[in-house]
Structures are given as structure tokens and as C-alpha cells.
Amino acid sequence: MQGAPALPSGFDSLPYANPDAPKGGEIRLGETGGFDSLNPWILKGRAATGIAQFTVETLMGRSLDEPFTLYGLLAEKVTTDETRSYVEFTLREGAHFSNGAPVTIEDVMWSYETLGTRGHPRYRTAWAKVARMEATGPRTIRFTFSEPDRELALLMGMRPVLERAFWEGRDFEATLQEAPVGSGPYVVESVEPGRQITLRRNPDWWGRDLPFNRGRHNFDRIRFDYFGDPGVMFEAFKAGEIDLWREGNAAQWARAYDFPALRDGRVLRAEIPHERPSGMNGLVFNTRRALFADWRVREALILAFDFEFISKTLTGGAEPRICSYFCNSTLAMRPGPATGRVAALLAPFAAQLLPGTLEGYAYPTGAGNGRNRANLRRAVALLAQAGWRVEDGVLRDANGRPFDFEILLPQGAAEKAAIVDIYVESLRRLGITPRITAIDDAQFVARTNAYDFDMTWFTRALSLSPGNEQTLYWGAEGVTRPGSRNLMGMNDPAAEAMIAAMLEATDPEDYTAAVRALDRVLTAGRYVIPIWYAPVSRLAYKRDLHFPTRIPLYGDWPGVVPDVWWHEAEQ
């Protein structure tokens, strides 16, 4: 995106891969919920895990040791100009799908147009900026862009390339029960609908000897088993039915790992550091609802959330609170008033920015004792300003209507439910008693995709290379377009302007300033009540599994586990 790639031409392998890793063995991984489709590129249904990551490929691949760099995969060559008004890719000769058919320019063109017009909404933002797509040779394709956006040259290298012939006669927008044909390192070996999917390494995979792939995709099989909830899945891990567990609870990590397989060394543990942003994890307000349209109401409900008490009760206070969307990274907003380039970017929107955006905003500190009286007094004052009063123990508006809303949770999410239970006790002191509804995974996805909720659980992972996807997360189109990821329903011209500034930046400092300015708009928007984040990844895994000693910038991230891990049984 800026500067030059870290790896030279002719590099041997990615720096965090072991090119001498042995091939073979199996890794069994767990997922919660279920699946009803093998099509991960549309909004409808819930697709099985692994298909998008392991069975199809893109023109270029990402190095997880660099924030914003791609290397050739299906494409052997990329050409662009200084302003990145276009990008042209040349396909590698010999690249082919798992059925032996060559990957052609026609496959690429069909894939991009289909995804951009009929695929999941995440593909449409970038596609709308493509003025022209054309074949410029038997193995070359050019995309000409309609507006300045330096990331588009990279995004055009990151779309999945599907086999056009497979989809002829099939409805691309429908759920799929037959495994799609791809060119990736794995093929689907078997499927038990809703319960299990097994991928088998393709011995005829065309790309196995590329430097980009050396030391990657080492397992003969990758199996994903589905469980009703995380608690059941953890018990399955302890019993040896799955091989790896990611622990998200620091208190659990400290007290729940005294079981036979760990005591006798069959299971090992590792803490893997990372430098990626915290992202956002917590309870999100749906501002499409009139009840949550007023920032003062949202701030009042944030004040009622005694993070310190909840954290101490559930995790022993072991993890820091999320301080902003890009917390834990160089892209995070700085404390205090906006200065320099950040202030200059936000200045044109000063009149409409919410309090704290320019002056500085920080999530309130709770009392940590479960009573939280000072913050509750502040919350009452803000609610009064917004037209709410307590009458006979119930918070009501000027017309006597109670402050009534639903908290929607996925079924089986024990930690989330525990957080909400403590929070509800605090809300009752304000005269608010929300309804808590827990529904199965399929219903939860359907309702959140349709924005049919008042408050729900929100998790948004963010990278060190934010770009066009930020429009999908925070853009105005997501207020009405289903499945946009803009769960809070925010519609803020300042946020969209900061995203545009990111995409047009040619200087790293300008880019960082734009992201920090966006972070201010999001955080001061008071759209989410954040919880904690882990500055390390905690993994427990079967002793026969191994990973390289070199940890990439992103740490434990999809594309690392299980991509560069391998199986090596003791002799």
C-alpha cells in the first residue's frame, strides 16, 4: 500500500513459515453452531468453515508479517501506474482447478462480476468503483477504476477465483449442498450437514512449489466438528476429540487447565503475542431504533456498565478494557485533544461531531464494587436531558412509555450471558429492565443481518491494514442494506470522509492520521459498550502439533493456524 514489499524477488518462503515442515497427519478443529450451505460467498445461509480459506485461491496472497503487502499467487505479475488508476494481472501458466481444468481469464472475469453484483455485500463496495474490466491478453486482465482509491489495486488481487463451469445452471445466490470446485490446496472430502466437514490436501495442487506456499498447508486432512456451544466444545477438547483450543477467558486459562491430558503432557499450552488492533467486542446499540438514536442515552447506558466490577467478577480483572476500535496498535487514537493532521482532517466536520471527538473521549471507569453510584448519577442526569424520568421505579418518557428494549444473544454463549446478567442488575437501578432473548445460531445470523434487534453482541476484528472494508462496517449504505456489518446503523459523513482519506493517502503518516481520526469518530459515537481484549493469543493444543518459532506481526490469526502448523508424532 505504501513503500516496498519486505521480501525480495525470488524469496524462498514467507518468513513465518517453515519450508522444511513435514507433510501429513490430520488436525481436528472445533466450531460452534452449525452450517447449512457450502457457499461462503453470499449472504444467505451459514456456510461451512474452511471452504473459502482452503479450497479456493486469489490472484495474490497476503503476508501476515506485513500490514499491507500482497505477493503473487494465481497471478505471476501485477502492473499498475503511480496513481493506481488501473491494475493489470497476468495469470500463471499451469494454474488449474482441482478437476484439472485450467484457471482462465474468463473464470476470473465471471467470478469478479458475479461476486460484485450477486455476492455478499462485502464485495460490492470495491466493485462499484471498477469502471471497466477487460481481457488484455490470453492470460492478462485489467481493471480500470472510476475514482481515486489506492487500495483498489490490492483488493482486485484478493477476490476468490471460482470455476465458471461449475456454477453453470446453478443459482449463485442460493445455499449450496455440493462442494464447489476451486484451485486451492484442499478439496472437500466429506460433509455431515450441520455437524462436520473434512478437507483433504490435494496431491495434484498446482501451487504447492510456489515460494509463497512453501511450508504452508502441511496437514493431509483438516476436519471441522461443530458443537452446540463453547462449553461442550471445550469438554470435547479435554477428551481429545479436537486438537486445538483458543482460550478467550484469562481466568479460565488460569484455573480450568488441570485435566489429565495436560498433566501428562499430551496437551501443551502457548501464549502467542501479537500487534494487531483490539477491534471491538461488546454490546452494540441499534441506532435505527429511536430509543438509541440519542447519544446521551447511549452514554448513560455505557455509564451503567461497571466494567471494572464485571471484569473482576468474571475474569479476575486479568485483561485490559478495549479503549477504542484500533486499541493496542499504532493506528489507535491518542488520548486528549486531536492535534496536527488528525485535527485538520476532522475540522470541516467540527459542528456535527459528537462531544469528545475533538476534545478527547475515554470510556468511563466504574466503581468496581457493583454499586457504581457516581456513574449511575451521571447516567440519570443524561437520561433526564434526553427526556426520561423515573416514575414508580420505572424509567419513562414524557408520554409515560417505559424504557423498554431487548438484548439479543446467541444461544449457548455462557460468558456473554453472564456479562449481560450483571449489567441488567445495574440497569434496574435506573428503572430499566430489558428483555433477554437467546436464540439459535441460524436465527441469530438472520436477525442481525436484517438489523432486527435493539441491542446485541457485536464483535468486529480489525487489522493493521484497514481500507475499503471500513465502508462496509461503518458506511451510510449499511443503515438499510441487509448484511452490511454496520450493525449500529451509524450514518456519519465524518467517518466516510476519514475512510476516503485513508484510501487516497500516499504517505504513511497521512494514512495513520486518517485511521486515528476515524477511530475518534467511532469511539466518541458511543455505539458499543466494550469489554476486554487479549494482548496475547492463548492456545492449548495436542503435543503432536508444531508451529514455527518465528511469530508473524499478526500472531495467531486466520492464515497462521493451521496454515503453517504441521503434525509430527514422536518416534
Side-chain angles (χ1 to χ4, degrees):
M1 186 67 171
Q2 290 112 12
L7 301 181
S9 176
F11 65 90
D12 182 62
S13 66
L14 293 174
Y16 53 90
N18 173 11
D20 300 318
K23 305 291 185 184
E26 177 182 78
I27 185 169
R28 300 167 300 169
L29 303 171
E31 294 285 333
T32 57
F35 63 92
D36 58 8
S37 175
L38 301 182
N39 183 354
W41 304 292
I42 59 171
L43 184 59
K44 187 176 181 181
R46 181 178 179 185
T49 299
I51 292 175
Q53 185 177 351
F54 296 111
T55 72
V56 302
E57 292 174 307
T58 50
L59 293 172
M60 303 189 79
R62 186 179 206 178
S63 168
L64 293 175
D65 208 41
E66 300 174 61
F68 229 152
T69 300
L70 303 180
Y71 295 90
L73 190 53
L74 282 171
E76 66 178 8
K77 181 181 178 182
V78 57
T79 305
T80 186
D81 59 359
E82 186 175 350
T83 61
R84 299 194 177 182
S85 64
Y86 77 92
V87 65
E88 185 173 272
F89 300 99
T90 302
L91 283 177
R92 292 187 192 273
E93 198 164 4
H96 59 78
F97 293 105
S98 59
N99 59 10
V103 179
T104 67
I105 290 299
E106 289 72 24
D107 292 310
V108 178
M109 296 179 75
W110 179 87
S111 299
Y112 279 50
E113 183 171 5
T114 301
L115 292 166
T117 57
R118 300 166 59 199
H120 193 283
R122 65 177 174 265
Y123 297 115
R124 297 180 187 178
T125 300
W127 180 251
K129 299 178 183 180
V130 175
R132 187 168 66 256
M133 174 178 68
E134 56 189 326
T136 52
R139 290 190 292 119
T140 58
I141 182 171
R142 176 178 287 212
F143 300 91
T144 303
F145 306 124
S146 59
E147 58 185 86
D149 183 338
R150 290 179 51 78
E151 193 193 18
L152 288 173
L154 288 88
L155 290 180
M156 291 301 107
M158 292 296 288
R159 294 292 182 257
V161 176
L162 312 175
E163 189 196 37
R164 178 179 181 177
F166 171 85
W167 292 94
E168 289 179 353
R170 290 183 170 90
D171 181 2
F172 187 80
E173 296 178 81
T175 57
L176 183 68
Q177 304 307 316
E178 182 181 350
V181 172
S183 65
Y186 289 86
V187 295
V188 175
E189 181 176 73
S190 63
V191 176
E192 292 182 39
R195 297 182 58 193
Q196 184 187 102
I197 179 169
T198 301
L199 308 179
R200 174 178 53 82
R201 190 159 54 88
N202 181 6
D204 299 320
W205 178 38
W206 74 273
R208 62 183 178 273
D209 295 324
L210 289 180
F212 185 79
N213 291 324
R214 285 184 192 138
R216 302 178 63 213
H217 311 304
N218 301 310
F219 296 101
D220 282 345
R221 282 178 176 80
I222 303 174
R223 193 179 88 189
F224 297 94
D225 289 323
Y226 282 75
F227 299 87
D229 62 64
V232 174
M233 190 163 74
F234 184 54
E235 292 304 315
F237 169 70
K238 288 171 24 178
E241 295 175 19
I242 57 176
D243 298 331
L244 183 143
W245 176 260
R246 288 180 174 87
E247 181 56 68
N249 186 310
Q252 186 92 340
W253 184 251
R255 65 176 180 242
Y257 285 77
D258 184 20
F259 51 90
L262 194 135
R263 287 197 298 268
D264 64 25
R266 285 175 289 145
V267 167
L268 305 176
R269 296 200 296 171
E271 293 190 0
I272 299 177
H274 65 80
E275 299 177 46
R276 61 183 184 265
S278 63
M280 185 52 68
N281 189 21
L283 291 163
V284 63
F285 300 99
N286 186 355
T287 64
R288 300 171 187 84
R289 303 284 203 252
L291 189 67
F292 294 136
D294 191 322
W295 73 267
R296 295 169 297 185
V297 170
R298 302 197 299 272
E299 175 72 357
L301 269 64
I302 292 171
L303 282 160
F305 189 90
D306 189 345
F307 169 81
E308 286 67 25
F309 177 70
I310 292 172
S311 174
K312 183 168 60 177
T313 302
L314 299 181
T315 74
E319 311 253 70
R321 189 179 198 180
I322 293 169
C323 58
S324 73
Y325 290 68
F326 290 92
C327 188
N328 192 53
S329 77
T330 58
L331 300 176
M333 67 179 195
R334 295 302 184 247
T339 59
R341 301 184 194 193
V342 174
L345 284 166
L346 293 171
F349 305 93
Q352 64 198 70
L353 293 172
L354 291 186
T357 311
L358 287 168
E359 308 91 329
Y361 175 79
Y363 293 109
T365 300
N369 57 14
R371 294 184 293 275
N372 203 27
R373 288 171 180 162
N375 279 356
L376 289 177
R377 284 195 295 270
R378 292 170 59 196
V380 167
L382 283 167
L383 289 168
Q385 292 174 27
W388 296 90
R389 297 285 189 279
V390 176
E391 298 176 6
D392 300 322
V394 177
L395 190 68
R396 299 180 185 276
D397 66 12
N399 297 312
R401 290 184 294 244
F403 193 105
D404 180 57
F405 71 97
E406 176 190 51
I407 301 177
L408 184 70
L409 295 175
Q411 214 163 51
E415 184 180 67
K416 297 177 177 66
I419 291 169
V420 168
D421 286 344
I422 299 173
Y423 181 43
V424 167
E425 289 303 312
S426 183
L427 290 176
R428 287 197 177 107
R429 297 187 181 96
L430 295 175
I432 302 169
T433 304
R435 291 164 286 116
I436 303 172
T437 303
I439 56 178
D440 66 43
D441 192 66
Q443 293 181 75
F444 185 79
V445 170
R447 283 191 60 177
T448 52
N449 276 342
Y451 313 128
D452 180 19
F453 66 90
D454 301 322
M455 176 185 283
T456 191
W457 202 265
F458 177 82
T459 299
R460 176 66 61 238
L462 294 170
S463 74
L464 289 164
S465 54
N468 273 273
E469 80 287 346
Q470 302 298 302
T471 301
L472 185 69
Y473 299 163
W474 329 118
E477 283 192 11
V479 175
T480 55
R481 175 183 285 178
S484 74
R485 313 284 182 89
N486 181 358
L487 287 193
M488 59 274 291
M490 63 178 287
N491 181 359
D492 193 324
E496 296 198 334
M498 298 311 108
I499 296 169
M502 290 159 47
L503 300 177
E504 295 171 15
T506 58
D507 178 81
E509 291 186 7
D510 287 341
Y511 175 79
T512 298
V515 182
R516 289 177 179 174
L518 174 65
D519 201 22
R520 282 178 171 268
V521 174
L522 294 172
T523 306
R526 299 155 170 92
Y527 299 112
V528 179
I529 306 172
I531 58 165
W532 48 81
Y533 73 96
V536 298
S537 297
R538 301 177 181 92
L539 299 183
Y541 56 95
K542 185 180 173 184
R543 184 174 59 196
D544 289 349
L545 300 180
H546 302 267
F547 58 92
T549 55
R550 172 76 155 78
I551 304 299
L553 185 69
Y554 278 83
D556 164 39
W557 186 260
V560 175
V561 184
D563 278 31
V564 298
W565 286 49
W566 67 88
H567 178 273
E568 191 171 0
E570 293 183 357
Q571 300 298 319

